[in-house]
Amino acid sequence: MAAAHSLSYFPSFSKSLKNPSNSLLSKHNLTFKPSFQTLKLRAVLSENHTSTVTANENNNFQHCFSKSNDGFLYCEGLKVQEVLDSVEKRPFYLYSKPQITRNVEAYKEALEGLQSIIGYAIKANNNLKILEHLRQLGCGAVLVSGNELRLALRAGFDPTKCIFNGNGKLLEDLVLAAQEGVFVNVDSEFDLENIVAAARIAGKKVNVLLRINPDVDPQVHPYVATGNKNSKFGIRNEKLQWFLDEVKAHPKELKLVGAHCHLGSTITKVDIFRDAAVLMVNYIDQIRSEGFEISYLNIGGGLGIDYYHTGAVLPKPMDLINTVRELVESRGLNLIIEPGRSLIANTCCLVNRVTGVKTNGTKNFIVIDGSMAELIRPSLYDAYQHIELVSPSPSDAEISTLDVVGPVCESADFLGKNRELPTPAKGTGLVVHDAGAYCMSMASTYNLKMRPPEYWVEEDGSVVKIRHGETFEDHMRFFEGL
């Protein structure tokens, strides 16, 4: 992440396909199979393509998307323009499967020597194929709804490596969690009551962790801060004794195995995690003094990424784990970490086409086919995500300050404001970077802009569809038979 555009490895590939046909596909070694899910696109070697950035092979958080000196954007050595020219003509998400692997390996390397669970936060991205890949890499899953629990089970996750969070868990979902043997975080008095009821219905004792609100300021946007005293999440420390007494009163239903905290999201200072961990191990000491066999510390997730692509030196998983390692080891604890954004955000971009360019008053606008319906973070949080064109601009293209906006009937429909970009021609490809987390999972069908398809680039350079785009016919099926 320190070098936001560099790659761990960067082979050379061919010219983009402007008008793919059967003959061209054969010539360029691109193969299409009948099923949408097995759509394949392969790039071939080009003598003209060389990377302008230096790769550090030991950095597992190198960015998988990079502009080369030929002016084209590449993903794992494959021209994004080639993908754009070869798939259905609508906005789509494009992932790097190898980058997902590298991100997981960075956490596994950081956690070496500790008993731990990497619990991927499904809320960040719930694509089934991605979940199956993460499970194959050894991850557990963090769940915040009953359907996320069902999806995790469908994806094959080990229930004993799954953690059920949330401040409003429903009884029927807690019953499923109890039946499957997942960890459950206790968030409130009524949550504890529901967990006890679920345990009785399921006939199973539930392994629970107390989610303690440590009142630590994560210094992030208030919408993604979860660990301060006014948050809706967790229990206050002054109520801790009441919860311990209640757990003691229900030995057949509950087994208290750990403590949990979650500070927020997009955190870029690991000392904040250490501050929270210091508080948490002190609470664990207090809980153990009352006879509980506490074996897990869950420090949540929330590690930020370089959305601005400035080359900022941001903390990596190793930095995060190292700041809490001594505390975890000193208490003989198993560490649970709940990464979402830092595992998946930088593996993906939203690929769009330019519909046109216009000027109103003093404002210049690039209008694209993507919108806040496909990617809402800028509209919801005023979040910044890096934007660039996928192909080189003419040498005489004017550089202007433009807002990148979509066709949705809202003034809030923007993907980026005041961006310095060459004025693009109609049909030019434009990407919004770092779109793997909280983008597709928050997409909607507002204005009946149906949710887009998703693809990833595999290790061999092929492109595979991993989710079908929704259609108008899909929407109409909700009304059949009514």
Side-chain angles (χ1 to χ4, degrees):
M1 293 214 319
H5 292 283
S6 56
L7 291 168
S8 295
Y9 52 89
F10 202 9
S12 309
F13 286 88
S14 71
K15 298 178 181 179
S16 66
L17 298 178
K18 295 295 183 184
N19 296 293
S21 64
N22 289 339
S23 60
L24 279 174
L25 295 177
S26 175
K27 177 180 178 182
H28 287 267
N29 192 29
L30 291 98
T31 58
F32 290 81
K33 297 182 179 180
S35 167
F36 278 146
Q37 288 183 319
T38 55
L39 168 67
K40 299 279 186 177
L41 171 65
R42 298 182 188 278
V44 296
L45 291 173
S46 166
E47 295 179 358
N48 297 323
H49 171 60
T50 56
S51 173
T52 59
V53 292
T54 302
N56 175 358
E57 295 183 358
N58 293 322
N59 185 343
N60 287 327
F61 268 72
Q62 304 287 342
H63 209 281
C64 52
F65 290 91
S66 177
K67 271 285 179 74
S68 175
N69 59 6
D70 65 1
F72 284 95
L73 182 69
Y74 287 77
C75 176
E76 300 295 346
L78 174 65
K79 278 184 181 175
V80 174
Q81 183 68 51
E82 291 188 347
V83 185
L84 187 72
D85 291 338
S86 304
V87 301
E88 55 195 291
K89 194 172 183 180
R90 59 188 293 185
F92 62 93
Y93 281 98
L94 179 64
Y95 299 82
S96 161
K97 185 179 180 183
Q99 185 66 46
I100 297 172
T101 301
R102 292 194 290 267
N103 289 351
V104 173
E105 291 301 321
Y107 270 101
K108 291 168 75 171
E109 180 183 355
L111 289 162
E112 189 172 350
L114 292 176
Q115 293 295 315
S116 62
I117 295 174
I118 302 173
Y120 168 68
I122 287 182
K123 65 177 182 173
N125 188 306
N126 56 31
N127 183 289
L128 178 62
K129 297 301 180 183
I130 291 172
L131 297 182
E132 290 174 342
H133 183 53
L134 291 168
R135 183 259 301 163
Q136 290 166 358
L137 293 171
C139 291
V142 174
L143 327 159
V144 292
S145 73
N147 281 339
E148 286 191 353
L149 170 54
R150 294 175 184 92
L151 184 61
L153 296 173
R154 186 73 62 89
F157 282 96
D158 179 354
T160 65
K161 294 172 68 175
C162 292
I163 304 96
F164 193 11
N165 289 341
N167 68 308
K169 299 184 285 291
L170 300 179
L171 178 60
E172 57 265 35
D173 298 333
L174 286 167
V175 171
L176 177 60
Q179 291 170 339
E180 296 293 336
V182 308
F183 293 104
V184 178
N185 278 327
V186 177
D187 190 88
S188 65
E189 292 88 343
F190 67 79
D191 195 37
L192 181 64
E193 180 181 338
N194 283 335
I195 297 168
V196 170
R200 290 171 178 167
I201 294 170
K204 297 281 188 71
K205 182 181 289 190
V206 180
N207 289 326
V208 297
L209 295 86
L210 295 179
R211 178 168 181 170
I212 300 173
N213 185 322
D215 196 15
V216 172
D217 180 9
Q219 301 174 34
V220 297
H221 191 287
Y223 287 7
V224 293
T226 59
N228 53 48
K229 66 180 180 180
N230 294 318
S231 171
K232 72 174 184 176
F233 299 102
I235 63 177
R236 296 289 297 144
N237 59 353
E238 60 266 22
K239 296 182 178 180
L240 178 58
Q241 188 60 54
W242 183 89
F243 283 91
L244 296 179
D245 291 341
E246 284 298 299
V247 172
K248 288 178 182 177
H250 297 92
K252 295 181 179 180
E253 294 87 6
L254 306 175
K255 181 179 181 182
L256 180 57
V257 298
H260 170 265
C261 72
H262 194 292
L263 304 178
S265 195
T266 69
I267 299 171
T268 57
K269 299 178 180 179
V270 293
D271 57 348
I272 294 172
F273 287 98
R274 179 173 176 81
D275 291 345
V278 169
L279 293 173
M280 294 303 295
V281 295
N282 287 334
Y283 291 135
I284 287 173
D285 290 343
Q286 177 184 341
I287 296 168
R288 282 176 168 174
S289 71
E290 297 202 21
F292 292 99
E293 296 180 0
I294 298 295
S295 52
Y296 291 93
L297 170 61
N298 185 336
I299 61 169
L303 193 63
I305 68 164
D306 182 12
Y307 277 113
Y308 285 85
H309 286 209
T310 59
V313 180
L314 297 180
K316 299 178 178 63
M318 186 69 75
D319 302 313
L320 168 58
I321 301 305
N322 281 346
T323 199
V324 301
R325 176 181 288 272
E326 181 182 349
L327 289 166
V328 172
E329 291 178 332
S330 70
R331 303 310 198 274
L333 293 165
N334 298 288
L335 180 65
I336 300 175
I337 185 80
E338 300 181 346
R341 185 187 316 274
S342 57
L343 279 185
I344 197 70
N346 72 345
T347 71
C348 175
C349 63
L350 176 66
V351 185
N352 313 270
R353 290 175 176 83
V354 173
T355 304
V357 178
K358 66 182 291 186
T359 299
N360 273 347
T362 59
K363 274 287 188 181
N364 302 312
F365 300 92
I366 299 175
V367 183
I368 60 174
D369 55 357
S371 70
M372 65 184 288
E374 290 86 2
L375 196 159
I376 199 173
R377 291 186 70 254
S379 300
L380 183 62
Y381 305 128
D382 199 26
Y384 182 99
Q385 291 180 236
H386 185 60
I387 293 174
E388 62 182 326
L389 306 179
V390 306
S391 58
S393 301
S395 57
D396 60 349
E398 181 181 357
I399 305 294
S400 302
T401 301
L402 306 110
D403 286 5
V404 179
V405 301
V408 162
C409 191
E410 294 283 349
S411 294
D413 179 26
F414 63 91
L415 283 300
K417 291 186 174 182
N418 299 318
R419 304 302 177 90
E420 299 289 328
L421 291 166
T423 303
K426 179 180 179 180
T428 300
L430 177 149
V431 300
V432 181
H433 279 286
D434 303 309
Y438 306 104
C439 294
M440 182 59 177
S441 65
M442 298 177 76
S444 74
T445 57
Y446 187 46
N447 285 196
L448 278 188
K449 280 182 62 57
M450 311 312 294
R451 280 175 287 217
E454 295 177 289
Y455 301 84
W456 67 19
V457 179
E458 294 200 318
E459 292 82 359
D460 63 358
S462 62
V463 169
V464 178
K465 177 179 273 192
I466 58 173
R467 177 173 172 146
H468 295 299
E470 295 177 7
T471 66
F472 177 74
E473 288 70 28
D474 293 327
H475 177 72
M476 295 307 299
R477 288 189 187 101
F478 292 113
F479 308 98
E480 290 177 358
L482 299 180

